[in-house]
Amino acid sequence: MPKFEFNENQVNNIMVFLNRVPVTGFKEIEAMNEIIRIFQNPIIEQDKTPKK
């Protein structure tokens, strides 16, 4: 799966947009929860450079 990097300003803009979108049904609630969960749990990659 592709990975994307967002800077802090981009994440804030997405959250502002999501705050304005009406959440009226189950699919919207599920989508909103998944997006928020992704932002709250960033992938922390381990340093993969060989150690000497």
Side-chain angles (χ1 to χ4, degrees), residues 1 14-15 18 23 26-42:
M1 173 169 278
I14 292 169
M15 296 304 285
L18 292 174
V23 181
F26 178 73
K27 290 192 182 247
E28 288 90 353
I29 293 170
E30 185 178 359
M32 180 77 78
N33 287 337
E34 184 174 359
I35 292 166
I36 291 171
R37 192 170 31 253
I38 289 168
F39 286 139
Q40 289 177 339
N41 298 298

Side-chain angles (χ1 to χ4, degrees), residues 6-48:
F6 296 99
N7 65 36
E8 186 175 347
N9 188 54
Q10 292 168 323
V11 171
N12 288 337
N13 286 338
I14 292 169
M15 296 304 285
V16 165
F17 172 78
L18 292 174
N19 282 331
R20 294 181 182 169
V21 174
V23 181
T24 58
F26 178 73
K27 290 192 182 247
E28 288 90 353
I29 293 170
E30 185 178 359
M32 180 77 78
N33 287 337
E34 184 174 359
I35 292 166
I36 291 171
R37 192 170 31 253
I38 289 168
F39 286 139
Q40 289 177 339
N41 298 298
I43 297 171
I44 300 172
E45 294 189 27
Q46 300 294 324
D47 184 9
K48 296 180 182 176

